[in-house]
Amino acid sequence: MKAVRIHQFGGPEVLTYEDVHDPRPRKDQVLIRVRACALNHLDIWVRQGLPGVNLPHILGSDIAGEIVEVGEYVTDLTSNGLKAGRRVLVAPMHFCNRCSKCVAGLQNQCRHFTVLGNGVDGGNCELIAVPAANVIPIPDSLDFNQAASVPLVFVTAWHMLVGRAGIRPGQTVLVLGAGSGVGIAAIQIAKLFHCRVITTAGDEAKLAKGRELGADYGIDHYKQKISAEVRKITNKEGVDIVVEHVGAATWDESVKSLKSSGILVTCGATTGPNVGIDLLHLFARQLTLLGSYMGTMRELHEVLRHVFAGRLKPVVDRVLPLSELRAAHEYLEKSQMFGKIVVNP
Ligand SMILES: [Zn+2]
């Protein structure tokens, strides 16, 4: 099959479109023909070099495609069963499915947990073999590019807001980066919970799109000071929850935007991981800082129910052929997109 692999870590030039052996599925696996694979910022981190990545390596976490073959040991008791030809998406998590965390449904706390395309080969290829538990049928209302744009960012945003921050109706939520995958998901999830949403972006066109997704207010983070605008919007009170994934560039403004006893939840650090914390603020204002990493299979199924019903919508920025993955990475690194960048094998 064709695949894009990296044989060394580095810039987009290390992405190599080449022939590799077809995967040979185990009897407990399902073989998928990849029709679409969405990019995430994680792809850039992995390409540049993360511990635990064995070379050569195939990137790509978010996969949608068709079932080619179902292993003989795969039992499926659901009416919407797994069989050849079925259109599916692939849960982007890799876990052991045996340890006490996994059987308790806390897959993202498994010692062996990793993301597809990070610790194990991903979907920048034509065929992939995955455990049956990861294979989820999709409705006809979603095309492959839309379906591939869902799993990682929507389960991440759901775990942040629902699993970690305990979002409640009527709260005010600040979502950084309206055009990012997590931002697009978090705006819509917060509106699903009848919250007031403030979002940020680097230009007016992105802010307008953020409002189309349901955001009530937009802040231009290049022209305006986020915490000052939040104070104006909230009558000096601050927000209940901040959804952080930007890191160093926005951290101080994010913390300052919280109300007393507010919650900051973070899942990433695209502009760098090293930030400061003012302990006077933390204890005197009784703030809560939460880390969040991906989500559980239960949470993925929960958020997918809303996506499949059309209450939450994936946003695709552009689609390129897999052979042009290098150009897709270059575009991702410019951060000019609104929504997901998808490649088709
Ligand atoms: Zn486990």
Short mmCIF file of all heavy atoms in Angstrom, two decimals, residues 23-32 66-77 81-85 128-133 135:
data_model
loop_
_atom_site.label_atom_id
_atom_site.label_comp_id
_atom_site.label_asym_id
_atom_site.label_seq_id
_atom_site.Cartn_x
_atom_site.Cartn_y
_atom_site.Cartn_z
N PRO A 23 -0.76 -4.02 6.06
CA PRO A 23 -0.82 -4.58 7.41
C PRO A 23 -1.50 -5.95 7.36
O PRO A 23 -2.40 -6.18 6.54
CB PRO A 23 -1.67 -3.56 8.17
CG PRO A 23 -2.46 -2.84 7.13
CD PRO A 23 -1.64 -2.86 5.88
N ARG A 24 -1.07 -6.86 8.22
CA ARG A 24 -1.73 -8.17 8.32
C ARG A 24 -2.51 -8.21 9.63
O ARG A 24 -1.94 -8.29 10.71
CB ARG A 24 -0.68 -9.29 8.32
CG ARG A 24 -0.09 -9.55 6.93
CD ARG A 24 0.20 -11.03 6.74
NE ARG A 24 1.18 -11.52 7.71
CZ ARG A 24 2.48 -11.55 7.48
NH1 ARG A 24 2.96 -11.16 6.33
NH2 ARG A 24 3.31 -12.01 8.39
N PRO A 25 -3.86 -8.07 9.55
CA PRO A 25 -4.64 -7.96 10.78
C PRO A 25 -4.59 -9.25 11.59
O PRO A 25 -4.59 -10.34 11.03
CB PRO A 25 -6.06 -7.70 10.27
CG PRO A 25 -6.07 -8.16 8.85
CD PRO A 25 -4.68 -8.03 8.34
N ARG A 26 -4.55 -9.09 12.92
CA ARG A 26 -4.70 -10.24 13.82
C ARG A 26 -6.15 -10.70 13.77
O ARG A 26 -7.04 -9.97 13.32
CB ARG A 26 -4.32 -9.85 15.25
CG ARG A 26 -2.89 -9.39 15.44
CD ARG A 26 -2.60 -9.26 16.93
NE ARG A 26 -3.69 -8.59 17.65
CZ ARG A 26 -3.60 -7.38 18.20
NH1 ARG A 26 -2.49 -6.69 18.12
NH2 ARG A 26 -4.64 -6.86 18.83
N LYS A 27 -6.42 -11.88 14.34
CA LYS A 27 -7.78 -12.41 14.28
C LYS A 27 -8.75 -11.63 15.15
O LYS A 27 -9.96 -11.78 15.02
CB LYS A 27 -7.78 -13.88 14.68
CG LYS A 27 -7.12 -14.77 13.64
CD LYS A 27 -7.19 -16.23 14.00
CE LYS A 27 -6.59 -17.07 12.87
NZ LYS A 27 -6.59 -18.51 13.19
N ASP A 28 -8.22 -10.80 16.08
CA ASP A 28 -9.11 -9.99 16.92
C ASP A 28 -9.20 -8.55 16.40
O ASP A 28 -9.67 -7.67 17.10
CB ASP A 28 -8.63 -10.00 18.38
CG ASP A 28 -7.23 -9.42 18.53
OD1 ASP A 28 -6.51 -9.29 17.51
OD2 ASP A 28 -6.85 -9.09 19.66
N GLN A 29 -8.71 -8.32 15.17
CA GLN A 29 -8.71 -6.95 14.64
C GLN A 29 -9.62 -6.80 13.43
O GLN A 29 -10.11 -7.77 12.87
CB GLN A 29 -7.27 -6.56 14.23
CG GLN A 29 -6.35 -6.32 15.43
CD GLN A 29 -5.01 -5.81 14.99
OE1 GLN A 29 -4.46 -6.25 13.98
NE2 GLN A 29 -4.47 -4.86 15.74
N VAL A 30 -9.81 -5.53 13.07
CA VAL A 30 -10.60 -5.19 11.89
C VAL A 30 -9.68 -4.43 10.94
O VAL A 30 -8.91 -3.55 11.37
CB VAL A 30 -11.80 -4.29 12.29
CG1 VAL A 30 -12.58 -3.85 11.06
CG2 VAL A 30 -12.72 -5.03 13.26
N LEU A 31 -9.73 -4.80 9.67
CA LEU A 31 -8.91 -4.10 8.67
C LEU A 31 -9.76 -3.01 8.02
O LEU A 31 -10.86 -3.28 7.53
CB LEU A 31 -8.41 -5.10 7.61
CG LEU A 31 -7.46 -4.54 6.55
CD1 LEU A 31 -6.12 -4.11 7.18
CD2 LEU A 31 -7.21 -5.57 5.44
N ILE A 32 -9.24 -1.80 8.01
CA ILE A 32 -9.97 -0.65 7.50
C ILE A 32 -9.26 -0.08 6.26
O ILE A 32 -8.03 0.10 6.30
CB ILE A 32 -10.03 0.49 8.56
CG1 ILE A 32 -10.45 -0.02 9.94
CG2 ILE A 32 -10.86 1.67 8.08
CD1 ILE A 32 -11.90 -0.19 10.13
N GLU A 66 -13.68 2.47 5.36
CA GLU A 66 -14.61 1.34 5.20
C GLU A 66 -13.95 0.06 5.70
O GLU A 66 -12.75 -0.14 5.49
CB GLU A 66 -14.93 1.13 3.71
CG GLU A 66 -15.84 2.17 3.13
CD GLU A 66 -15.69 2.27 1.62
OE1 GLU A 66 -14.62 1.90 1.09
OE2 GLU A 66 -16.63 2.74 0.99
N ILE A 67 -14.77 -0.81 6.28
CA ILE A 67 -14.24 -2.10 6.74
C ILE A 67 -13.95 -2.98 5.53
O ILE A 67 -14.79 -3.12 4.63
CB ILE A 67 -15.25 -2.80 7.67
CG1 ILE A 67 -15.43 -1.99 8.96
CG2 ILE A 67 -14.78 -4.23 7.99
CD1 ILE A 67 -16.42 -2.60 9.93
N VAL A 68 -12.73 -3.55 5.50
CA VAL A 68 -12.35 -4.47 4.44
C VAL A 68 -12.58 -5.91 4.91
O VAL A 68 -13.08 -6.74 4.18
CB VAL A 68 -10.85 -4.29 4.08
CG1 VAL A 68 -10.42 -5.33 3.04
CG2 VAL A 68 -10.60 -2.88 3.59
N GLU A 69 -12.22 -6.15 6.18
CA GLU A 69 -12.19 -7.53 6.66
C GLU A 69 -12.32 -7.50 8.18
O GLU A 69 -11.77 -6.64 8.84
CB GLU A 69 -10.82 -8.09 6.26
CG GLU A 69 -10.60 -9.54 6.45
CD GLU A 69 -9.13 -9.86 6.10
OE1 GLU A 69 -8.66 -9.40 5.01
OE2 GLU A 69 -8.47 -10.53 6.90
N VAL A 70 -13.10 -8.45 8.72
CA VAL A 70 -13.28 -8.54 10.18
C VAL A 70 -12.66 -9.85 10.65
O VAL A 70 -12.97 -10.92 10.10
CB VAL A 70 -14.78 -8.50 10.54
CG1 VAL A 70 -14.98 -8.61 12.05
CG2 VAL A 70 -15.40 -7.20 10.03
N GLY A 71 -11.78 -9.77 11.65
CA GLY A 71 -11.09 -10.96 12.14
C GLY A 71 -12.05 -11.99 12.72
O GLY A 71 -13.12 -11.66 13.23
N GLU A 72 -11.63 -13.25 12.65
CA GLU A 72 -12.50 -14.36 13.05
C GLU A 72 -12.88 -14.30 14.54
O GLU A 72 -13.94 -14.79 14.94
CB GLU A 72 -11.78 -15.67 12.63
CG GLU A 72 -11.70 -16.72 13.62
CD GLU A 72 -10.91 -17.97 13.16
OE1 GLU A 72 -9.89 -17.88 12.43
OE2 GLU A 72 -11.32 -19.03 13.60
N TYR A 73 -12.04 -13.70 15.39
CA TYR A 73 -12.33 -13.65 16.83
C TYR A 73 -13.19 -12.45 17.22
O TYR A 73 -13.50 -12.27 18.39
CB TYR A 73 -11.04 -13.61 17.65
CG TYR A 73 -10.15 -14.81 17.52
CD1 TYR A 73 -8.83 -14.76 17.97
CD2 TYR A 73 -10.61 -16.00 16.95
CE1 TYR A 73 -7.99 -15.86 17.86
CE2 TYR A 73 -9.78 -17.09 16.81
CZ TYR A 73 -8.46 -17.01 17.27
OH TYR A 73 -7.64 -18.10 17.15
N VAL A 74 -13.51 -11.60 16.24
CA VAL A 74 -14.29 -10.40 16.57
C VAL A 74 -15.76 -10.78 16.68
O VAL A 74 -16.37 -11.22 15.71
CB VAL A 74 -14.13 -9.31 15.49
CG1 VAL A 74 -15.04 -8.14 15.77
CG2 VAL A 74 -12.67 -8.87 15.41
N THR A 75 -16.31 -10.62 17.88
CA THR A 75 -17.74 -10.86 18.04
C THR A 75 -18.41 -9.51 18.16
O THR A 75 -17.88 -8.59 18.78
CB THR A 75 -18.04 -11.67 19.31
OG1 THR A 75 -17.37 -11.05 20.40
CG2 THR A 75 -17.58 -13.10 19.17
N ASP A 76 -19.55 -9.36 17.55
CA ASP A 76 -20.24 -8.08 17.59
C ASP A 76 -21.73 -8.35 17.78
O ASP A 76 -22.38 -8.91 16.92
CB ASP A 76 -19.99 -7.32 16.30
CG ASP A 76 -20.49 -5.90 16.42
OD1 ASP A 76 -21.29 -5.62 17.33
OD2 ASP A 76 -20.09 -5.06 15.60
N LEU A 77 -22.25 -7.97 18.94
CA LEU A 77 -23.64 -8.29 19.27
C LEU A 77 -24.59 -7.15 18.93
O LEU A 77 -25.79 -7.26 19.13
CB LEU A 77 -23.73 -8.60 20.78
CG LEU A 77 -22.77 -9.69 21.26
CD1 LEU A 77 -22.87 -9.86 22.76
CD2 LEU A 77 -23.06 -11.01 20.56
N GLY A 81 -23.84 -4.04 13.22
CA GLY A 81 -22.59 -4.78 13.39
C GLY A 81 -21.47 -4.40 12.47
O GLY A 81 -21.65 -3.70 11.49
N LEU A 82 -20.28 -4.94 12.80
CA LEU A 82 -19.10 -4.67 12.00
C LEU A 82 -19.03 -5.70 10.89
O LEU A 82 -18.94 -6.89 11.15
CB LEU A 82 -17.84 -4.76 12.88
CG LEU A 82 -17.82 -3.85 14.11
CD1 LEU A 82 -16.52 -4.03 14.88
CD2 LEU A 82 -18.01 -2.39 13.73
N LYS A 83 -19.10 -5.23 9.65
CA LYS A 83 -18.93 -6.16 8.53
C LYS A 83 -18.32 -5.42 7.34
O LYS A 83 -18.34 -4.18 7.30
CB LYS A 83 -20.25 -6.82 8.17
CG LYS A 83 -21.36 -5.87 7.79
CD LYS A 83 -22.65 -6.66 7.51
CE LYS A 83 -23.75 -5.72 7.09
NZ LYS A 83 -25.06 -6.36 7.07
N ALA A 84 -17.82 -6.20 6.40
CA ALA A 84 -17.13 -5.62 5.24
C ALA A 84 -18.03 -4.60 4.55
O ALA A 84 -19.23 -4.83 4.37
CB ALA A 84 -16.72 -6.71 4.29
N GLY A 85 -17.45 -3.47 4.17
CA GLY A 85 -18.19 -2.44 3.45
C GLY A 85 -18.78 -1.36 4.35
O GLY A 85 -19.13 -0.28 3.87
N ILE A 128 -5.33 0.08 7.51
CA ILE A 128 -4.87 0.00 8.89
C ILE A 128 -5.66 -1.09 9.62
O ILE A 128 -6.87 -1.24 9.39
CB ILE A 128 -4.98 1.36 9.63
CG1 ILE A 128 -4.33 1.30 11.02
CG2 ILE A 128 -6.44 1.84 9.72
CD1 ILE A 128 -4.13 2.67 11.66
N ALA A 129 -4.98 -1.84 10.47
CA ALA A 129 -5.63 -2.88 11.28
C ALA A 129 -5.72 -2.38 12.71
O ALA A 129 -4.73 -1.93 13.28
CB ALA A 129 -4.81 -4.17 11.23
N VAL A 130 -6.94 -2.40 13.28
CA VAL A 130 -7.16 -1.88 14.65
C VAL A 130 -8.06 -2.84 15.43
O VAL A 130 -8.82 -3.61 14.83
CB VAL A 130 -7.82 -0.47 14.62
CG1 VAL A 130 -6.89 0.55 13.98
CG2 VAL A 130 -9.16 -0.50 13.89
N PRO A 131 -8.02 -2.78 16.78
CA PRO A 131 -8.91 -3.61 17.58
C PRO A 131 -10.38 -3.25 17.31
O PRO A 131 -10.72 -2.10 17.03
CB PRO A 131 -8.55 -3.24 19.02
CG PRO A 131 -7.18 -2.64 18.94
CD PRO A 131 -7.11 -1.97 17.61
N ALA A 132 -11.24 -4.26 17.39
CA ALA A 132 -12.66 -4.05 17.08
C ALA A 132 -13.29 -2.97 17.96
O ALA A 132 -14.18 -2.24 17.52
CB ALA A 132 -13.42 -5.37 17.23
N ALA A 133 -12.83 -2.87 19.23
CA ALA A 133 -13.42 -1.89 20.16
C ALA A 133 -13.26 -0.46 19.65
O ALA A 133 -14.02 0.43 20.03
CB ALA A 133 -12.76 -2.01 21.53
N VAL A 135 -13.60 0.52 16.50
CA VAL A 135 -14.28 0.72 15.22
C VAL A 135 -15.75 1.08 15.46
O VAL A 135 -16.50 0.32 16.07
CB VAL A 135 -14.18 -0.54 14.35
CG1 VAL A 135 -14.85 -0.31 13.00
CG2 VAL A 135 -12.72 -0.94 14.17
#
